[in-house]
Amino acid sequence: MKKGEKLVIEKLEKPAFMTDGEWKATLETLSMLNQTIPDEAWENIGEKVISLDRIRSDGLDDREKYLSSDGKDFTEPGTAPTLLLTTVGRKSGKKFTTPVNGMPDGDNFYIVASLAGYDALPHWYLNLEKNPRVWIQMQDKKAPATARILTREEKAPLWPRLLAEGQPLWAYFQMFTEREFPVVLVTPE
């Protein structure tokens, strides 16, 4: 398997950590992605996630574009909205701001620590593990918030909804790592 290509669903194996419900939702989502995403779009996805350096560089560019436009017209139709998540560095104590996709749930957001299916956890996730005090910005609205990592029992029934209402590519990227994607609930104050 290579990122940036359609997955052959029949050759995929269910990750040990997934429930049957999560696996069913993942396969349905992957099938939908295979049917709806044109080949040239897959190539574009592959280019954007070719390396962690590329992902982090694009993240810095995206953050600056987001800040200069207050996030207007930043989210692609049919995907989870992009928001800015600011965490406190676990080593430096400095604030770091990262664009992430988040599925809204009332005033709250669910964020999936996917890092495009790499084995490493995103830095923002490692930071909030140490300090759950965060800040979010949705377009021009900024708020302090608290982040809480969901338990396995909380995540399992939510996974189908995250794929349907959030970012379907989370299912795609999950197939490239044995690392289970943590899900974080961000609650504004």
Side-chain angles (χ1 to χ4, degrees), residues 120-176:
L121 286 160
H123 290 177
W124 63 260
Y125 178 83
L126 297 171
N127 290 341
L128 68 78
E129 267 188 320
K130 180 153 180 146
N131 183 353
R133 172 84 169 150
V134 299
W135 295 262
I136 58 169
Q137 179 175 342
M138 183 64 184
Q139 295 187 340
D140 62 347
K141 296 176 182 76
K142 299 175 188 175
T146 302
R148 183 176 68 81
I149 301 164
L150 297 187
T151 65
R152 175 102 234 7
E153 293 75 24
E154 292 172 306
K155 178 194 171 196
L158 183 64
W159 184 248
R161 184 172 161 221
L162 288 165
L163 300 181
E165 298 175 29
Q167 175 54 272
L169 285 173
W170 288 327
Y172 179 77
F173 290 128
Q174 182 63 83
M175 295 297 97
F176 289 91

Side-chain angles (χ1 to χ4, degrees), residues 3-178:
K3 291 178 188 170
E5 296 177 350
K6 292 180 181 180
L7 297 179
V8 180
I9 293 172
E10 298 76 26
K11 292 186 177 181
L12 298 176
E13 293 183 23
K14 177 182 156 202
F17 58 80
M18 275 194 183
T19 65
D20 289 341
E22 288 173 299
W23 183 236
K24 180 178 185 255
T26 297
L27 292 176
E28 288 170 355
T29 301
L30 293 172
S31 178
M32 178 273 298
L33 291 172
N34 279 350
Q35 293 171 21
T36 59
I37 297 180
D39 290 340
E40 57 273 6
W42 282 114
E43 290 173 20
N44 188 33
I45 291 168
E47 289 171 16
K48 287 184 176 187
V49 299
I50 191 105
S51 70
L52 287 173
D53 287 340
R54 169 73 191 263
I55 292 169
R56 291 183 176 124
S57 174
D58 285 354
L60 293 173
D61 291 343
D62 289 346
R63 179 188 65 203
E64 295 311 311
K65 289 175 191 171
Y66 194 104
L67 289 169
S68 68
S69 70
D70 283 332
K72 292 181 175 55
D73 301 322
F74 207 83
T75 298
E76 296 178 26
T79 64
T82 299
L83 56 119
L84 295 181
L85 175 70
T86 301
T87 59
V88 176
R90 63 198 176 282
K91 297 176 188 172
S92 69
K94 296 179 182 177
K95 290 183 179 177
F96 293 94
T97 301
T98 308
V100 295
N101 289 122
M103 185 188 83
D105 184 43
D107 292 335
N108 302 323
F109 287 91
Y110 289 104
I111 302 171
V112 176
S114 68
L115 194 57
Y118 282 89
D119 290 332
L121 286 160
H123 290 177
W124 63 260
Y125 178 83
L126 297 171
N127 290 341
L128 68 78
E129 267 188 320
K130 180 153 180 146
N131 183 353
R133 172 84 169 150
V134 299
W135 295 262
I136 58 169
Q137 179 175 342
M138 183 64 184
Q139 295 187 340
D140 62 347
K141 296 176 182 76
K142 299 175 188 175
T146 302
R148 183 176 68 81
I149 301 164
L150 297 187
T151 65
R152 175 102 234 7
E153 293 75 24
E154 292 172 306
K155 178 194 171 196
L158 183 64
W159 184 248
R161 184 172 161 221
L162 288 165
L163 300 181
E165 298 175 29
Q167 175 54 272
L169 285 173
W170 288 327
Y172 179 77
F173 290 128
Q174 182 63 83
M175 295 297 97
F176 289 91
T177 181
E178 293 180 13

